[in-house]
């Protein structure tokens, strides 16, 4: 338990640093921003109390906000996906008691279900962030393009990240 | 009472969810950047530490382009120096020197050099973080320029770092004019392209050509007069009949921003008191009613 918590904290710090120093400055085609740190919310154990999930999600978003000068934007997105993630997983994987490990990953859920789960959460996250941000300049085409491209980019990176982390865990 | 407690326990995650959403929205809709708190911005201690470390690596990336810009600027300045030397020589010939006085306005501004440690250009509201703060004499609402032109205005100041509202932020409006003319408009970013902004509220009678240089007006204590801003590239069809709107290509390349100068105006306090007096004096002179 302590070991899981520690590795969670280290991974969070690593992903936050990677997000604010590298991925925030990636903007493919001028619009697509990858949000890799939501991996932490997606992969919290399903057995964890919902109140903890919400609190961790909100604080994670707030940390990203502080670094990228986007007050409340990422914390709103993180709170929303923390709130819906359990229901999203139930939608694609109804037999929750079949999970060999409460932490959602490709190994536990299978690639198909995992991709759908990550895609949905990325889509909701990108939609919340881009819509809340577009109150400054409203441009429907750019908004749509931003949501779709960021979702695809984020999903691809989350799958790659899960492969990497699962692999390194096997080696240990 | 017990039912109420049971209700709270049962719906605790919904209540918590609502609390977090409301907190986020409250932060989100406090849009005025001057109301942001230093701990919740990249000018805080943690932000400074992380971005400072990352900057020691990334600051090398754009050295070539910055060097080229500096060489160009150097060349133009050298030409200017030669011209000025010629002028001085002429004045000496005219024995003008004994009537000349030192203009106090020239010694009015000084500069503090700072490194950009974080910068964004593709968001709707962009900010820049620099590695100098209140201990280096930086205060809110000071202007920031680089070797090419205007960059932004200081907004939140920590002890060793400061956040600047980038010119690429719709909350920043800078009073500008076309070089060689005295009509003033206001420059603002329209969120479309990080290399272009819009010069609005220019009076209808203003004359301009495409390719004219846009400079700061010097009507505030933020920027000295004549700092280059950009070049007029297009006349946009106006909605209002009394004003012209021009599209301006910015001189500053915000994607390779590295070293900037913060403009310190030594006359700022004096000007502020003078302007305050002019507001309060008429009240004092009002007859008692």
């Amino acid at each position: 338990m302590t070991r899981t918590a520690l590795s969670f904290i280290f991974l969070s710090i690593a992903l936050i640093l990677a997000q604010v120093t590298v991925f925030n400055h990636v903007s493919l085609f001028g619009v697509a921003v990858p949000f890799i740190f939501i991996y932490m919310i997606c992969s919290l154990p399903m057995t964890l109390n919902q109140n903890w999930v919400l609190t961790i999600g909100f604080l994670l978003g707030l940390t990203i906000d502080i670094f990228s000068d986007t007050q409340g934007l990422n914390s709103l997105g993180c709170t929303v996906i923390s709130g819906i993630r359990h229901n999203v997983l139930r939608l694609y994987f109804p037999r929750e008691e079949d999970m060999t490990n409460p932490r959602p990953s490709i190994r536990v859920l299978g690639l198909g279900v995992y991709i759908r789960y990550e895609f949905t959460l990325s889509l909701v996250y990108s939609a919340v962030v881009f819509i809340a941000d577009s109150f400054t300049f409203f441009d429907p085409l750019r908004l749509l393009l931003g949501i779709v491209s960021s979702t695809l980019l984020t999903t691809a990176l989350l799958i790659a990240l899960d492969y990497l982390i699962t692999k390194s865990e096997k080696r240990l | 009472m017990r039912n109420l407690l049971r209700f709270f326990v049962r719906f605790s995650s919904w209540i918590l969810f609502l609390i977090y959403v409301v907190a986020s929205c409250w932060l989100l809709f406090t849009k005025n950047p001057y109301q942001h708190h230093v701990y919740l911005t990249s000018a805080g201690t943690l932000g400074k530490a992380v971005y400072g470390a990352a900057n020691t690596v990334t600051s090398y990336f754009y050295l070539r382009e910055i060097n080229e810009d500096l060489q160009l600027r150097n060349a133009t300045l050298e030409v200017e120096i030669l011209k000025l030397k010629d002028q001085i020589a002429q004045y000496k010939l005219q024995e003008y020197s004994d009537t000349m006085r030192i203009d106090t306005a020239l010694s009015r501004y000084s500069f503090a050099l700072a490194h950009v440690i974080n910068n964004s250009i593709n968001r709707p509201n962009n900010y820049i973080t620099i590695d100098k703060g209140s201990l280096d004499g930086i205060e809110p609402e000071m202007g920031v320029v680089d070797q090419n032109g205007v960059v932004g205005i200081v907004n939140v100041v920590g002890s060793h770092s400061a956040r600047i509202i980038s010119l690429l932020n719709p909350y920043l409006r800078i009073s500008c004019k076309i070089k060689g003319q005295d009509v003033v408009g206001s420059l603002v970013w329209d969120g479309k392209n990080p290399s272009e902004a819009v010069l609005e509220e220019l009076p209808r009678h203003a004359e301009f050509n495409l390719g004219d240089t846009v400079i700061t007006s010097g009507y505030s204590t933020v920027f000295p007069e004549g700092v280059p801003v950009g070049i007029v590239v297009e006349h946009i069809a106006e909605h209002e009949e009394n004003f012209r709107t021009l599209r301006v290509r910015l001189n500053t390349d915000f994607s390779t921003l590295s070293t900037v100068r913060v403009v310190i105006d030594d006359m700022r306090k004096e000007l502020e008191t003078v302007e305050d007096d002019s507001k309060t004096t008429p009240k004092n002179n009002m007859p008692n009613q």
Side-chain angles (χ1 to χ4, degrees):
Chain A
M1 182 64 203
T2 326
R3 203 187 136 101
T4 329
L6 271 179
S7 71
F8 177 84
I9 290 168
F10 280 125
L11 191 61
S12 301
I13 293 173
L15 285 187
I16 288 171
L17 288 180
Q19 178 73 36
V20 297
T21 57
V22 180
F23 290 97
N24 265 356
H25 302 277
V26 171
S27 111
L28 223 55
F29 320 118
V31 281
V33 185
F35 304 106
I36 58 155
F37 63 95
I38 64 169
Y39 179 81
M40 295 325 298
I41 298 171
C42 300
S43 64
L44 280 171
M46 280 297 160
T47 45
L48 192 66
N49 186 323
Q50 181 66 7
N51 292 353
W52 277 110
V53 176
L54 285 167
T55 308
I56 292 171
F58 176 75
L59 291 179
L60 195 68
L62 196 65
T63 317
I64 299 289
D65 277 336
I66 288 172
F67 278 110
S68 42
D69 284 319
T70 50
Q71 300 226 319
L73 191 66
N74 290 302
S75 36
L76 181 66
C78 283
T79 310
V80 169
I81 62 165
S82 306
I84 64 162
R85 97 193 166 112
H86 213 134
N87 298 328
V88 170
L89 189 73
R90 254 182 234 147
L91 197 68
Y92 301 127
F93 198 80
R95 308 172 309 277
E96 210 177 296
E97 57 281 0
D98 287 358
M99 285 171 74
T100 48
N101 184 333
R103 214 192 104 207
S105 68
I106 297 175
R107 206 159 25 142
V108 176
L109 299 174
L111 188 61
V113 173
Y114 191 71
I115 289 180
R116 271 179 274 171
Y117 169 66
E118 298 283 35
F119 177 80
T120 313
L121 290 185
S122 307
L123 180 67
V124 172
Y125 190 81
S126 309
V128 170
V129 166
F130 274 88
I131 290 171
D133 222 6
S134 75
F135 287 131
T136 321
F137 303 111
F138 187 67
D139 182 353
L141 188 72
R142 207 184 147 82
L143 179 68
L144 205 65
L145 205 66
I147 293 175
V148 172
S149 56
S150 293
T151 306
L152 294 177
L153 193 61
T154 306
T155 312
L157 281 169
L158 290 182
I159 305 289
L161 194 65
D162 192 69
Y163 260 119
L164 266 177
I165 287 166
T166 320
K167 221 175 186 180
S168 66
E169 270 177 1
K170 252 185 212 163
R171 209 181 297 147
L172 284 176
Chain B
M1 190 63 204
R2 186 181 280 177
N3 281 342
L4 191 69
L5 269 176
R6 200 176 291 153
F7 172 83
F8 276 125
V9 171
R10 181 145 174 238
F11 292 100
S12 63
S13 56
W14 277 107
I15 294 164
L16 204 62
F17 179 76
L18 280 179
I19 290 173
Y20 288 150
V21 167
V22 169
S24 304
C25 288
W26 178 69
L27 283 171
L28 193 62
F29 293 111
T30 330
K31 275 272 182 180
N32 184 351
Y34 287 101
Q35 290 165 5
H36 292 177
H37 193 272
V38 67
Y39 291 116
L40 288 178
T41 66
S42 56
T45 323
L46 196 64
K48 147 89 184 172
V50 169
Y51 286 129
N55 182 252
T56 52
V57 179
T58 53
S59 62
Y60 292 100
F61 292 172
Y62 305 111
L63 281 188
R64 182 186 290 270
E65 285 148 59
I66 289 158
N67 200 16
E68 271 165 19
D69 282 345
L70 283 175
Q71 297 279 11
L72 267 177
R73 182 87 182 132
N74 218 1
T76 49
L77 286 176
E78 255 170 41
V79 171
E80 213 157 287
I81 286 176
L82 286 179
K83 270 191 203 159
L84 288 174
K85 271 187 181 163
D86 268 2
Q87 267 181 354
I88 290 173
Q90 277 180 355
Y91 282 137
K92 269 186 184 161
L93 279 176
Q94 291 172 352
E95 294 189 344
Y96 187 77
S97 56
D98 52 349
T99 53
M100 237 166 62
R101 287 197 314 192
I102 296 165
D103 190 349
T104 49
L106 280 181
S107 57
R108 179 174 152 189
Y109 297 100
S110 55
F111 295 100
L113 272 183
H115 290 283
V116 172
I117 55 175
N118 185 39
N119 180 18
S120 70
I121 58 168
N122 46 35
R123 309 194 54 79
N125 301 294
N126 292 297
Y127 296 97
I128 298 164
T129 321
I130 57 169
D131 64 349
K132 291 280 165 71
S134 55
L135 294 181
D136 307 285
I138 314 278
E139 285 169 29
E141 298 190 39
M142 282 180 170
V144 180
V145 299
D146 81 340
Q147 71 271 19
N148 297 319
V150 166
V151 170
I153 292 180
V154 177
N155 157 226
V156 178
V157 177
S159 53
H160 292 286
S161 55
R163 187 180 72 167
I164 297 164
I165 304 185
S166 170
L167 189 56
L168 307 182
N169 189 321
Y171 281 96
L172 191 63
R173 298 184 86 90
I174 295 177
S175 155
C176 288
K177 61 185 181 185
I178 293 170
K179 198 172 183 176
Q181 293 198 25
D182 280 333
V183 286
V184 172
S186 117
L187 188 86
V188 69
W189 189 52
D190 61 351
K192 288 181 181 146
N193 183 339
S195 62
E196 285 179 349
V198 172
L199 183 60
E200 297 179 339
E201 295 165 18
L202 205 63
R204 182 126 189 96
H205 60 268
E207 288 172 14
F208 68 95
N209 296 310
L210 298 186
D212 278 354
T213 308
V214 176
I215 56 175
T216 55
S217 68
Y219 282 4
S220 66
T221 58
V222 178
F223 293 106
E225 186 183 349
V227 178
V229 175
I231 290 165
V232 178
V233 286
E234 190 191 344
H235 180 215
I236 306 173
E238 53 263 60
H239 315 289
E240 273 182 273
E241 291 191 347
N242 296 327
F243 295 106
R244 287 181 188 277
T245 305
L246 308 179
R247 185 167 290 281
V248 175
R249 193 173 69 234
L250 299 171
N251 280 348
T252 311
D253 182 358
F254 284 87
S255 58
T256 61
L257 218 54
S258 165
T259 308
V260 294
R261 285 174 294 160
V262 182
V263 181
I264 297 170
D265 183 355
D266 299 329
M267 266 175 69
R268 184 172 148 189
K269 287 231 165 65
E270 189 182 325
L271 276 176
E272 273 168 7
T273 35
V274 169
E275 281 172 5
D276 264 0
D277 279 347
S278 66
K279 272 179 210 156
T280 51
T281 325
K283 269 184 206 160
N284 295 343
N285 292 347
M286 289 267 277
N288 293 328
Q289 288 178 345

